[in-house]
Amino acid sequence: MPEPTKKRQNKIPPAKKKIVVALQGGGSHGAYTWGVLDAILEDDRIEIEGLSGTSAGGMNATATAQGIVKGGNNEARKVLANLWGLIGEQGKKSPIKPNYFDKLTKNFSISNSPAYKMMQFMTSFLSPYQLNPSGKHPLQPVIDELFDFEALKKTELVKLFLCATHVATGKLKIFSGKELCRESVLASACVPTLFQAIEVDGELYWDGGFIGNPAIYPLIYNCETPDVLVVQIRRVHDPKIPTTVHDINNRLGEITQNACLTREMRSIAFISKLIDDEIIGKDKMKRLHMHMIRDDQFFGGIDRASGFCSDPDFLDYLFKAGRRAGRQWLRTNFDNIGVQSTAHIDEDFV
């Protein structure tokens, strides 16, 4: 007798887990975030519903959204790679770069670079209106080559929020939807000591890192998923006492650039406790699941000033570190997405 035919079992693909991501700025250190995003986008179990970003985080957010609109997660990985490839090409021509020994030791410090010292000296008494009267921004040709803002304005596949500082009022400005354009990306990355303020619809803007680095609330109000992943590239904890002018300025920069995120995370922790204690009903307010990728030890080993260095070797070093962090986070925390927070908000921010 012939053997009974075995029925083919069609494997049902696992349901995707949705997250939103908030991406901090930090100059070329944003290549670390590129690595994190590459690892997350590689995992086909993850769907990114929305992105909020500031400065380099805004560039990463825009590149990710552009790729998702164009062809999903894999295309997003390609657009991100193209973005940092173009930035690295600019870095090859820049005089601000680490010396051979700093590259060899993976420190990538530029603090002793003559070009960096000259930049510090010149920007201490000359404004960008004097140093750069044409108002050219080095990222403009990169943005023009990679991003289709008409597509980003119309898409319903992913939500994008870019953070900038309104110069006149000092308030946070969130660009999204129909407001997305080349100028809104440039505004988010406009370091006021280096670039002229960016005009958008008759208003002037600077880098969003002063007031929202990054802003989380647009993701809470405009996206459905309660799972928020923050990629923080500004170091929080530093046990060393800064005693030199250079170290004091570096530490002040870290504290200042983290201040807004710290306040927002404290508010989230407070509201979450009220919900957990049933003081506020879950039907009244969404209970968030907060997640975070941050590596203070890694960023403590590189000079903060290296955020001005876009040497391709340095970008590759950051990318690989970020990719390791992203893969590790997924291995450890994937099952908690949609279930509970994995970030230690009470320990780090309250």
Side-chain angles (χ1 to χ4, degrees), residues 1-165:
M1 293 180 63
E3 294 184 5
T5 304
K6 292 182 180 179
K7 292 184 179 180
R8 287 185 180 178
Q9 293 182 348
N10 294 322
K11 290 186 177 180
I12 300 174
K16 292 188 179 225
K17 290 194 173 187
K18 285 187 179 182
I19 61 171
V20 292
V21 294
L23 308 177
Q24 201 171 47
S28 65
H29 293 177
Y32 178 93
T33 304
W34 163 34
V36 170
L37 289 169
D38 187 76
I40 289 171
L41 291 163
E42 184 181 42
D43 193 321
D44 57 10
R45 300 172 298 171
I46 296 289
E47 179 181 341
I48 296 178
E49 183 186 357
L51 304 107
S52 172
T54 299
S55 197
M59 293 289 291
N60 279 321
T62 307
T64 303
Q66 177 70 71
I68 290 172
V69 170
K70 188 177 178 182
N73 284 13
N74 285 333
E75 190 64 34
R77 295 176 68 197
K78 292 179 184 177
V79 178
L80 281 163
N82 288 338
L83 167 65
W84 289 98
L86 290 171
I87 293 173
E89 286 299 313
Q90 290 186 350
K92 290 179 181 178
K93 305 170 188 175
S94 172
I96 301 177
K97 57 183 61 179
N99 60 40
Y100 174 77
F101 178 76
D102 284 333
K103 277 191 177 187
L104 196 65
T105 57
K106 303 299 182 184
N107 176 265
F108 294 99
S109 173
I110 60 167
S111 295
N112 294 319
S113 162
Y116 177 72
K117 286 184 177 295
M118 178 60 71
M119 181 188 75
Q120 280 189 309
F121 175 71
M122 295 295 287
T123 56
S124 67
F125 66 92
L126 291 176
S127 82
Y129 294 86
Q130 296 166 307
L131 288 171
N132 183 17
S134 67
K136 285 188 176 181
H137 197 297
L139 290 176
Q140 181 173 321
V142 175
I143 291 169
D144 289 341
E145 180 172 342
L146 290 181
F147 302 146
D148 179 356
F149 289 103
E150 290 307 310
L152 289 171
K153 289 175 183 178
K154 296 174 184 176
T155 187
E156 295 182 359
L157 292 174
V158 63
K159 298 178 176 68
L160 175 62
F161 307 96
L162 303 176
C163 312
T165 302

Side-chain angles (χ1 to χ4, degrees), residues 166-231:
H166 188 254
V167 177
T169 64
K171 292 182 179 179
L172 177 64
K173 170 65 179 178
I174 301 294
F175 293 101
S176 64
K178 295 180 180 179
E179 297 176 309
L180 295 171
C181 60
R182 173 215 288 162
E183 286 72 26
S184 61
V185 180
L186 290 175
S188 180
C190 178
V191 179
T193 55
L194 298 179
F195 309 117
Q196 295 183 23
I198 303 296
E199 183 176 339
V200 185
D201 294 333
E203 301 292 333
L204 295 176
Y205 297 94
W206 280 336
D207 192 297
F210 303 105
I211 197 70
N213 194 22
I216 299 173
Y217 75 86
L219 300 170
I220 300 172
Y221 295 157
N222 297 285
C223 298
E224 293 182 6
T225 180
D227 286 84
V228 181
L229 171 62
V230 179
V231 182

Side-chain angles (χ1 to χ4, degrees), residues 29 32 105-107 232-240 251 254 293-304 317-318 321 324-325 348:
H29 293 177
Y32 178 93
T105 57
K106 303 299 182 184
N107 176 265
Q232 188 174 13
I233 57 176
R234 289 302 192 200
R235 183 172 48 165
V236 175
H237 300 291
D238 182 4
K240 300 187 300 294
R251 188 61 186 145
E254 290 170 343
I293 293 177
R294 187 186 74 222
D295 191 341
D296 285 352
Q297 184 176 1
F298 173 78
F299 281 103
I302 57 177
D303 187 3
R304 182 175 177 272
Y317 176 69
L318 291 164
R324 286 193 299 270
D348 292 334

Side-chain angles (χ1 to χ4, degrees), residues 303-346:
D303 187 3
R304 182 175 177 272
S306 62
F308 291 103
C309 173
S310 52
D311 180 87
D313 291 336
F314 183 44
L315 300 183
D316 182 65
Y317 176 69
L318 291 164
F319 167 76
K320 289 175 179 175
R323 184 168 162 78
R324 286 193 299 270
R327 295 180 72 180
Q328 178 60 43
W329 182 82
L330 283 169
R331 283 194 296 270
T332 306
N333 299 301
F334 178 82
D335 290 340
N336 290 312
I337 298 174
V339 179
Q340 63 182 358
S341 294
T342 59
H344 305 294
I345 300 178
D346 292 343

